[in-house]
Amino acid sequence: MRTTHTTPRNRARTVVAATGAVAVGLTLSACGGADEATPGVSEDTVTVGTHQPLTGPAAAGYSSISAATSAYFDYVNANGGVHGRSIEYIVKDDGYNPANTQTVVRELVQQDDVFAVLNGLGTPTHSSVLDFLNQNEVPDLFVSSGSTAWNDPEAYPYTFGYNADYLVEGSALAQYATEEHAGEKVCLLGQHDDYGETLREGAEIVLGADGLAAYETYETSNQDVTAQIGALQSAGCEVVMLATVNGFSALAVGTAAQMGFMPTWMASSAGGDYPTLVEFLGEDVAPQLLQGFVSVNYLPFSPDGEWVELFQQINDEYNDGASFDGNTVFGMGVAYAFTEALAKAGEDPTREALVEVLESGELVGNGIVPLAYSAENHAGYDAAGITMVDGGVQDFVGTTYRLEGESVTPIEPEQIALEDDGIPVE
């Protein structure tokens, strides 16, 4: 495998309009490769690519995702690949900058001739290439962001989300808060963009338009949230939901502790990975500060689960024993889902066959519920489970919620079983 490191619901039109001026430069037609019918597919390989923040403001929290995806593909390739083909994964650094994203994605499509773009990370970054990929009919799979922008099959038929979106996560956290912290003041600290606003919308599905006692936002360019935490403390917040990336989750918790403010914290999956938070906060204080820390997840996460055991083995053998955390599980989960889709696309896969597989509803993934794709729904997971940190261990507490329209309902998780050693066959 070659890994190259270079240095409501359907609200997509609104999100993309904000970055339309950036995206206008990406209207060039894709250049075909040796095989015009199936770019990126040869007799021996299938080539896919991605844009990731290997450097820049998001690197500390997310640069390890693509390495985990690469490791899983190495594992698949070492065991015969998919229909006899190895998967080549080209990872290009965009520094979490939309202008760079345009450049590297154009390279992936027009120079590297990729079969698909897989797990491009970030709402502002990926929004800048959404039109380009769909105009060129490039499968745009498993976007690494909980934005609802990726679920618009009519406008963007080649784009598919993956994460439980921020509406799902916000509504699940709010429902859990109302059940476990009845009568307490619930507040929200959110990133000042679509991430924070959509998680807020999800929370308000449960709490009502005036249900949040306070709502504070932060800019990723400002590493000081003292004013926001002070405002939450003054508002008497007892539960604080976090629409934050991991670095700012740790910053919020640490700043609050310094101010003597100790609410119950409830974070989105993007900012709630315990091992990553420990790295930011330090092993000496993190267990105390994060005791009872609540988050949501939709992927296999239990330390003694069969998927986690497999991922740890792959991480040790194919990822140089890198730190094992939620990013590892996420990156390998994405790789498994693509491998499953590729296997179902047949012995001679085409881009059209790949999209048809996803829209058929046959793809299940490896989460705590099956993937929810259909011709009308390009979102990934439509439910989220609640996790909690207890004694330095983060695990599910057995509560899972599904969002259907404006209704949040508790459901039983349906953890997808591990079969065929995690290498799909069809």
Side-chain angles (χ1 to χ4, degrees), residues 28 50 58 161 234 286 288 303 350:
L28 298 175
T50 190
S234 296
Q288 292 88 3
T350 64

Side-chain angles (χ1 to χ4, degrees), residues 215-353:
Y215 175 49
E216 293 292 320
T217 63
Y218 70 90
E219 301 285 350
T220 56
S221 58
N222 186 350
Q223 297 281 320
D224 185 356
V225 294
T226 304
Q228 293 91 328
I229 296 299
L232 295 172
Q233 185 176 25
S234 296
C237 301
E238 296 164 282
V239 174
V240 176
M241 297 171 57
L242 296 171
T244 51
V245 295
N246 285 310
F248 276 86
S249 296
L251 185 62
V253 172
T255 300
Q258 291 174 347
M259 299 170 67
F261 179 42
M262 302 292 286
T264 298
W265 299 101
M266 296 188 176
S268 76
S269 63
D273 181 54
Y274 179 72
T276 303
L277 296 177
V278 171
E279 290 182 16
F280 282 109
L281 291 168
E283 294 183 1
D284 53 339
V285 300
Q288 292 88 3
L289 296 183
L290 297 174
Q291 174 64 24
F293 184 89
V294 172
S295 185
V296 285
N297 214 312
Y298 43 89
L299 295 174
F301 203 76
S302 298
D304 57 351
E306 57 185 1
W307 281 103
V308 171
E309 181 180 348
L310 173 65
F311 290 165
Q312 289 177 322
Q313 292 173 356
I314 294 172
N315 193 60
D316 290 341
E317 185 171 356
Y318 296 97
N319 200 20
D320 298 324
S323 176
F324 189 91
D325 55 24
N327 286 339
T328 314
V329 174
F330 181 83
M332 292 193 183
V334 165
Y336 174 79
F338 176 74
T339 305
E340 182 188 2
L342 186 62
K344 291 180 181 297
E347 295 186 3
D348 295 302
T350 64
R351 286 173 165 175
E352 292 73 18

Side-chain angles (χ1 to χ4, degrees), residues 12-13 25 65 119 148 162 225 245 301 365 369:
R13 292 182 181 84
I65 291 174
N119 203 224
T148 54
Y162 180 78
V225 294
V245 295
F301 203 76
V369 293

Side-chain angles (χ1 to χ4, degrees), residues 371-388:
L371 286 161
Y373 298 125
S374 70
E376 295 77 30
N377 179 29
H378 282 198
Y381 289 99
D382 63 354
I386 303 295
T387 73
M388 183 181 292

Side-chain angles (χ1 to χ4, degrees), residues 167-190:
L167 288 177
V168 172
E169 294 198 345
S171 64
L173 288 172
Q175 187 66 37
Y176 186 75
T178 61
E179 293 176 3
E180 299 297 324
H181 297 271
E184 296 186 13
K185 286 187 177 181
V186 181
C187 304
L188 174 63
L189 173 65

Side-chain angles (χ1 to χ4, degrees), residues 103-170:
T103 298
V104 300
V105 168
R106 183 167 58 236
E107 290 173 355
L108 288 170
V109 174
Q110 297 178 330
Q111 298 176 22
D112 299 308
D113 209 29
V114 295
F115 179 54
V117 169
L118 177 64
N119 203 224
L121 189 144
T123 301
T125 48
H126 200 76
S127 293
S128 74
V129 296
L130 194 56
D131 286 326
F132 171 74
L133 292 172
N134 279 270
Q135 288 167 3
N136 288 287
E137 301 182 349
V138 179
D140 178 22
L141 307 187
F142 314 150
V143 183
S144 184
S145 153
S147 172
T148 54
W150 327 128
N151 184 20
D152 192 346
E154 183 178 348
Y156 302 109
Y158 286 86
T159 295
F160 294 81
Y162 180 78
N163 309 41
D165 67 41
Y166 301 137
L167 288 177
V168 172
E169 294 198 345

